[in-house]
Every structure is written in structure tokens, then in C-alpha cells.
């Protein structure tokens, strides 16, 4: 900027102060505007992180709810399948029971038919044999022989009737025993099937619990990653804002230092330009003082001359006047030399003082600017350190929250697993007790019907097929009586 040569240092200082105040006001406004912009950006980022976290949690909750819904649907399907298996097995058991009863009944009917046929043949053979034996005994009257034959017939019929009744009773006991065996075996098979269904259900629930826990851990990891990523973005934005603010402050400080140095240089240049004018004014003031002093000395000389002449004889006055003039001239000359020396000393002292004051002012200004720069740097380093400590503290707090949340989740999963194991053991125990009671009740009922427990658990002579197959035919035939063994030889 161009400054008029006639401008004074005070005017320039006032102008420079006004311009510096405007620049400082502009810088402060810029800092405020920057802080508002930084705060707005930070609030916007935090709001975005909050929205993203809410959307993330909503998605995870939806995924977990879908998994639980699928678990419920799968359990319903398994329960339906088990119920269908129970109904199917009940139908198969009923059909197999009817089939077994029918097959045993048919075999017993065939055995009775064979028994009847053999009985008739034996009755006829015995009847002919008895007739031959009686006809050979001619000494016995015919009436007596007929009565004896009729008696043998009646005894044989009575014995055959007893044998038939025994056979029917044996067949009845056999079929009842086989049916009880069949029912007991099917009850045990049903118990085993129910145990397997319960194990399948518990295994399915355990798999679902493991899947749910795996998903919860996965959700925890995703949430942790998002929290770390969001905190990192917020910390990065804060750090960038601090660096930008510090760079701006340093840039403004450097501009301020450069401006102060240039202003000082211009001030010294103006002082150097204004120095001759100032010295000239002071010189004129000294010379004016010299003239006034000379006038005063002249007046004092005239008064002193008049006094001396009054006391001096007339013939000596001329010589006295001459001496007085010489003394006046000498004194005025000496006074002039003194004032000239004062002017010279003033010029030399003023130039030296100006140079010395400018150097001192330069050093003082340089030291002040360096001190301000050091203070600004120290303040920025302190601010950076505090910001870093805050970021580290927030990072540790987040790590602690994540660790606590992970611990609570693991404790919850352990508690759920422990509760599941307890419920599984309890359900297995109750199922075992139920089956034991049902089997004991069946055995007690069998004992009340006249069947021993050993007879029920021994291997059946009937071939039972499993529930998926069909019953095969009987591998045995019922024992039946022969008349030859019913009557001892020679009983006649």
C-alpha cells in the first residue's frame, strides 16, 4: 500500500490498527463459521450413524424373528409327523392283532378238524377191535357182551369229551397268552418309538438352540463391527476437523506475523523518511532559541554599557566601549558555537537513537511473535493430546461395552443351554417313568388274568412281523390226543 510522505507515524499506526482489528474480526468470524460447519457435519454424521444402527438392529431382529418362526414351523411339522406315525402304528398294531388272532384261530380250527377226524377213525377202529375181542369170548352171554361193548363205548366217548374240553381250554389259554405276548411286545415297541420320537424332538430343539445361539453371536459380531466402524468415522471426522482448524490457525498466525513484520518495516521506513523533517524542525527551534538569547544578551549589554559609561570618565569611554564590543562579540561567538555544537550533537544522537530503537523494536516484535507462535503450537498440541485421550477413552468405553454385552450374551446362552439340558433330562425321566408304570400295570393285569411274567417274556412260538411287515403263519401245530394213548393196552 502507498503511504503519503507527509503522513505521520501516529496516523499510520491508527490506520494499521483499524485494518488489524478488521482482519482479527474477520478471522474470529471465520473461526465461528468453521466451528458451526464442523458441528453441523458432526451432528449429521452422528445422526446418520444412529439411523444406520436402528436399521441394522431392525434387520437383525427381523432375521432372528424369522428364524424363531421357522423353528416353530419345523417343530409343528415334526409334531404332526410324530402324531401321524402314532396313528399309523396304532392302526398297524390293531390290524396285526386282528390278523394274529385270526391266524391262530384258523390254525386251531384246523387242528380241531384233524382231531375230530382222527378221533372218529380211532373210535371206529376201537369199536371193531372190541367187537372182535368180545365175539371170541363165547362163554359170555351175548347180552353181557353187548353191555360190555356199550360200556366201552360210553367210556371212550366220555374220555374223548374230556380230551376235547382240555384241548379247547388249552387253545383258549394259548391264544390268550399269545395275544398278551403280542400286546406286551407291541407296547415295548411303542415305548421305544415314543422314546425315539422324544429324542428326535429334543435333538431338533438342541439344533435349533445352537442355531439361535450361532445367529446371536453372528449378530453380536456384526453389531460390534458396525459400532467400531461408526466410531472410527466419527473420530476420523473430528481429527480432520481439528487438523483443519489448526492448519487455519497456523496459516492465520503466519499471515499475522508476516503482516506485523511488514508493518514494522513500513513504520521504520516512514520514520527514516520523516527523520530529516523532524531534525530540521528541532534545528529551527534551536536557532530560534539562539536568536532570542542573542536579543536578550544585546539588551543586557546595552544596559550594562549605559551603567559603565555613567561611572567612566569621558576620555576613557571610547576605550571602554571598544572593550565592551569585543567582549560582546566574543560571548556571542562562543554562544553561537555552543548552539551549533548542540545542533550537531542533536543530529548525531537522534540518528543513533532511531537506529537503536528500531533494532530493539524488531527484536522485541520478533520475540513476541515467536512467543505467540510457541503458545499457539503448545495450545494445539495440548488440544490434540486431549482429543486423542478422549478418542482413546471412548474407544476403551466401547470395547468395555462390547465385552460386557458379549459376556451377558454368553451367560444367557449358557443359562438357556443349562435349562434345556435340565428340561431334557426331566422329560426323559418322566417318559421312562410313564413307560415303566404302563408296563407294570400291564404285567399286573396279566397276572390277574392268570399269566405269569415269565410266560409273557419268553420267546413266542408265533412269528411276529414288525409294524411294517405282515405276520407269517404259525410254525407249530397244536398237540392233540390219540385214543391209543388215551387208553392203556389191555384195559379191556
Amino acid at each position: 500500500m502507498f503511504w503519503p510522505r507527509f503522513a505521520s507515524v501516529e496516523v499510520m499506526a491508527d490506520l494499521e490498527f483499524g485494518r488489524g482489528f478488521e482482519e482479527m474480526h474477520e478471522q474470529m468470524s471465520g473461526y465461528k463459521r468453521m466451528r458451526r460447519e464442523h458441528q453441523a457435519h458432526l451432528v449429521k454424521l452422528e445422526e446418520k450413524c444412529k439411523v444406520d444402527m436402528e436399521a441394522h438392529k431392525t434387520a437383525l431382529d427381523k432375521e432372528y424373528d424369522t428364524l424363531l418362526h421357522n423353528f416353530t414351523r419345523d417343530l409343528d411339522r415334526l409334531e404332526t409327523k410324530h402324531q401321524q406315525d402314532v396313528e399309523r402304528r396304532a392302526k398297524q398294531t390293531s390290524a396285526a392283532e386282528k390278523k394274529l388272532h385270526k391266524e391262530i384261530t384258523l390254525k386251531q380250527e384246523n387242528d380241531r378238524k384233524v382231531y375230530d377226524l382222527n378221533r372218529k377213525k380211532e373210535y371206529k377202529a376201537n369199536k371193531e377191535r372190541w367187537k372182535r375181542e368180545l365175539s371170541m369170548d363165547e362163554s359170555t352171554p351175548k347180552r353181557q357182551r353187548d353191555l360190555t361193548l356199550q360200556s366201552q363205548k360210553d367210556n371212550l366217548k366220555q374220555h374223548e369229551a374230556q380230551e376235547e374240553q382240555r384241548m379247547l381250554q388249552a387253545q383258549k389259554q394259548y391264544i390268550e397268552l399269545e395275544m398278551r405276548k403280542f400286546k406286551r411286545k407291541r407296547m415295548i415297541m411303542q415305548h421305544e418309538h415314543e422314546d425315539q420320537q422324544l429324542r428326535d424332538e429334543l435333538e431338533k430343539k438342541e439344533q435349533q438352540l445352537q442355531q439361535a445361539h450361532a445367529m446371536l453371536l453372528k449378530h453380536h459380531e456384526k453389531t460390534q463391527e458396525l459400532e467400531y466402524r461408526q466410531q472410527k468415522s466419527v473420530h476420523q471426522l473430528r481429527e480432520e476437523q481439528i487438523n483443519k482448524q489448526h492448519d487455519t490457525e497456523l496459516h492465520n498466525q503466519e499471515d499475522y506475523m508476516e503482516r506485523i513484520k511488514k508493518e514494522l518495516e513500513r513504520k521504520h521506513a516512514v520514520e527514516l523518511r520523516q527523520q530529516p523533517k523532524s531534525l530540521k524542525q528541532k534545528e529551527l527551534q534551536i536557532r530560534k532559541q539562539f536568536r532570542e538569547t542573542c536579543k536578550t544578551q544585546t539588551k543586557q549589554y546595552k544596559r550594562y554599557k549605559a551603567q559603565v559609561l555613567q561611572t567612566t570618565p569621558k576620555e576613557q569611554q571610547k576605550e571602554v566601549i571598544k572593550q565592551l564590543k569585543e567582549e560582546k562579540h566574543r560571548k556571542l561567538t562562543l554562544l553561537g558555537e555552543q548552539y551549533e555544537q548542540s545542533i550537531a550533537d542533536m543530529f548525531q544522537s537522534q540518528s543513533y537513537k532511531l537506529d537503536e530503537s528500531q533494532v530493539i523494536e524488531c527484536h522485541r516484535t520478533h520475540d513476541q511473535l515467536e512467543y505467540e507462535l510457541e503458545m499457539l503450537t503448545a495450545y494445539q498440541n495440548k488440544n490434540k493430546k486431549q482429543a486423542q485421550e478422549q478418542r482413546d477413552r471412548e474407544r476403551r468405553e466401547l470395547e468395555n461395552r462390547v465385552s460386557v454385552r458379549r459376556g451377558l450374551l454368553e451367560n444367557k446362552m449358557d443359562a438357556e443351554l443349562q435349562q434345556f439340558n435340565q428340561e431334557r433330562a426331566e422329560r426323559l425321566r418322566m417318559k421312562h417313568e410313564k413307560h415303566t408304570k404302563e408296563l407294570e400295570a400291564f404285567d399286573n393285569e396279566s397276572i390277574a388274568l392268570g399269566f405269569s411274567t415269565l410266560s409273557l417274556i419268553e420267546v413266542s412260538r408265533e412269528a411276529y412281523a414288525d409294524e411294517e411287515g405282515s405276520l407269517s403263519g404259525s410254525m407249530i401245530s397244536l398237540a392233540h390226543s390219540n385214543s391209543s394213548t388215551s387208553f392203556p393196552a389191555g384195559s379191556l
Side-chain angles (χ1 to χ4, degrees):
M1 174 179 274
F2 175 76
W3 292 96
R5 294 181 62 85
F6 54 82
S8 64
V9 177
E10 290 78 5
V11 174
M12 290 180 62
D14 293 339
L15 293 176
E16 291 295 335
F17 176 77
R19 188 177 67 174
F21 179 78
E22 292 178 357
E23 291 181 356
M24 183 179 296
H25 179 71
E26 182 179 356
Q27 288 180 4
M28 295 302 295
S29 300
Y31 289 150
K32 292 180 180 179
R33 184 170 57 255
M34 181 187 298
R35 284 194 294 268
R36 287 196 299 268
E37 291 176 355
H38 288 177
Q39 186 65 23
H41 291 165
L42 187 60
V43 170
K44 184 178 180 180
L45 178 60
E46 291 177 349
E47 186 66 24
K48 180 178 180 299
C49 291
K50 182 179 179 181
V51 172
D52 292 343
M53 182 58 70
E54 291 295 333
H56 172 75
K57 291 182 178 179
T58 302
L60 295 186
D61 292 340
K62 183 178 180 181
E63 184 180 6
Y64 189 70
D65 292 340
T66 302
L67 181 66
L68 296 181
H69 176 71
N70 292 336
F71 286 168
T72 303
R73 184 181 58 186
D74 293 342
L75 288 177
D76 292 339
R77 290 178 178 175
L78 182 62
E79 183 180 0
T80 302
K81 180 176 178 295
H82 287 174
Q83 185 63 31
Q84 292 175 352
D85 289 342
V86 170
E87 294 176 356
R88 178 178 56 82
R89 293 173 69 90
K91 293 179 179 179
Q92 291 177 350
T93 300
S94 178
E97 183 179 358
K98 292 179 180 179
K99 185 176 182 181
L100 177 62
H101 189 276
K102 182 179 180 181
E103 289 182 353
I104 295 176
T105 302
L106 290 175
K107 285 185 286 186
Q108 288 181 348
E109 289 178 355
N110 291 331
D111 290 340
R112 286 196 300 270
K113 289 180 180 179
V114 172
Y115 172 76
D116 291 338
L117 181 61
N118 292 333
R119 182 174 58 82
K120 290 179 179 180
K121 289 182 179 179
E122 290 177 359
Y123 176 77
K124 185 177 181 181
N126 288 328
K127 180 181 178 181
E128 293 298 328
R129 181 169 57 83
W130 291 335
K131 285 182 177 181
R132 286 196 304 270
E133 291 176 353
L134 291 174
S135 61
M136 293 174 60
D137 187 9
E138 296 179 355
S139 61
T140 304
K142 184 176 184 304
R143 180 177 177 81
Q144 184 67 31
R145 291 196 301 267
D146 293 338
L147 291 174
T148 301
L149 179 61
Q150 186 62 38
S151 176
Q152 291 292 341
K153 290 180 181 179
D154 293 339
N155 290 334
L156 180 59
K157 288 181 179 180
Q158 183 180 0
H159 179 72
E160 288 177 351
Q162 291 176 354
E163 286 293 324
E164 183 178 4
Q165 187 64 29
R166 183 184 62 81
M167 181 185 68
L168 293 175
Q169 185 65 26
Q171 288 182 341
K172 180 181 178 182
Q173 291 180 354
Y174 176 79
I175 194 172
E176 289 179 354
L177 177 61
E178 291 300 323
M179 297 310 297
R180 295 298 292 183
K181 287 182 179 180
F182 175 81
K183 289 181 180 180
R184 192 177 192 277
K185 182 178 180 181
R186 284 307 176 97
M187 178 181 289
I188 294 175
M189 294 174 63
Q190 179 65 23
H191 289 171
E192 293 175 352
H193 185 69
E194 290 178 0
D195 291 340
Q196 185 61 42
Q197 286 184 341
L198 180 59
R199 287 192 293 270
D200 293 341
E201 179 186 353
L202 294 175
E203 183 179 358
K204 186 68 174 179
K205 288 185 177 181
E206 185 178 11
Q207 292 176 356
Q208 292 179 349
L209 184 61
Q210 293 174 353
Q211 292 177 5
H213 289 175
M215 178 173 287
L216 290 176
L217 290 175
K218 181 181 177 182
H219 288 178
H220 171 78
E221 296 294 336
K222 287 184 177 181
T223 304
Q224 173 183 335
E225 292 176 359
L226 180 59
E227 287 176 335
Y228 284 153
R229 188 165 59 251
Q230 289 182 348
Q231 187 185 68
K232 183 178 179 181
S233 62
V234 172
H235 286 177
Q236 185 175 0
L237 178 60
R238 289 179 181 173
E239 188 174 5
E240 290 176 355
Q241 290 176 349
I242 291 177
N243 292 334
K244 182 179 179 181
Q245 179 180 346
H246 289 177
D247 292 341
T248 304
E249 291 173 351
L250 287 175
H251 179 71
N252 291 337
Q253 181 66 20
E254 291 173 355
D255 290 344
Y256 167 74
M257 295 172 64
E258 187 68 22
R259 178 171 58 82
I260 292 298
K261 291 179 181 179
K262 289 182 179 179
E263 290 175 356
L264 185 60
E265 291 176 357
R266 285 197 297 268
K267 176 186 175 184
H268 291 171
V270 171
E271 289 177 350
L272 291 175
R273 287 196 303 268
Q274 290 181 347
Q275 183 181 9
K277 179 180 179 181
S278 176
L279 295 177
K280 187 66 176 176
Q281 290 176 352
K282 290 183 179 181
E283 180 184 1
L284 292 176
Q285 289 178 357
I286 293 174
R287 292 191 183 280
K288 182 179 179 181
Q289 271 186 342
F290 174 70
R291 288 192 298 270
E292 291 177 352
T293 304
C294 288
K295 290 179 181 180
T296 302
Q297 290 289 336
T298 301
K299 290 179 181 180
Q300 291 177 355
Y301 170 73
K302 287 181 179 181
R303 287 195 298 270
Y304 178 72
K305 178 182 177 182
Q307 293 176 0
V308 171
L309 289 177
Q310 288 178 359
T311 60
T312 302
K314 188 174 181 180
E315 61 275 8
Q316 295 179 357
Q317 288 183 351
K318 187 175 180 180
E319 183 64 25
V320 171
I321 292 173
K322 181 179 178 181
Q323 291 178 356
L324 290 174
K325 285 184 178 179
E326 289 178 355
E327 182 67 19
K328 173 185 176 183
H329 180 71
R330 186 184 64 80
K331 289 184 177 181
L332 290 176
T333 301
L334 181 61
L335 183 62
E337 291 177 356
Q338 291 178 353
Y339 273 91
E340 288 296 334
Q341 185 62 36
S342 298
I343 292 173
D345 293 341
M346 184 268 297
F347 272 100
Q348 183 178 1
S349 175
Q350 186 67 23
S351 176
Y352 174 76
K353 288 181 179 179
L354 182 61
D355 293 340
E356 184 179 8
S357 64
Q358 288 179 348
V359 171
I360 293 174
E361 188 176 7
C362 285
H363 285 301
R364 184 171 62 249
T365 303
H366 179 268
D367 293 341
Q368 179 65 26
L369 293 177
E370 289 296 326
Y371 173 75
E372 292 177 358
L373 181 60
E374 290 177 0
M375 291 294 293
L376 176 61
T377 304
Y379 170 76
Q380 290 181 347
N381 292 334
K382 180 180 179 181
N383 194 2
K384 286 183 178 179
K385 183 179 179 181
Q386 291 177 349
Q388 184 63 38
E389 291 176 353
Q390 181 181 358
R391 290 194 293 270
D392 294 339
R393 182 172 61 255
E394 292 177 354
R395 192 176 296 110
R396 289 193 300 270
E397 290 176 355
L398 178 58
E399 291 175 354
N400 291 334
R401 290 197 302 270
V402 170
S403 178
V404 170
R405 191 169 64 240
R406 177 63 179 259
L408 293 176
L409 178 60
E410 291 178 351
N411 292 337
K412 177 185 176 183
M413 293 190 299
D414 292 340
E416 290 179 351
L417 184 59
Q418 184 178 2
Q419 182 181 1
F420 172 77
N421 291 332
Q422 292 176 355
E423 292 179 355
R424 176 172 57 185
E426 182 65 18
R427 291 190 63 183
L428 290 174
R429 184 188 64 80
M430 293 176 63
K431 181 66 72 173
H432 178 70
E433 289 181 355
K434 177 187 175 184
H435 291 168
T436 302
K437 290 180 180 179
E438 289 179 354
L439 189 59
E440 289 179 354
F442 183 84
D443 290 342
N444 292 333
E445 183 182 357
S446 299
I447 293 175
L449 294 175
F451 302 103
S452 65
T453 305
L454 294 176
S455 64
L456 293 176
I457 63 177
E458 67 181 4
V459 179
S460 175
R461 289 176 289 178
E462 298 292 332
Y464 301 149
D466 57 10
E467 288 154 343
E468 302 297 332
S470 60
L471 291 171
S472 62
S474 176
M475 302 298 294
I476 66 163
S477 59
L478 293 177
H480 54 274
S481 301
N482 292 322
S483 57
S484 58
T485 58
S486 300
F487 297 95
S491 58
L492 300 177

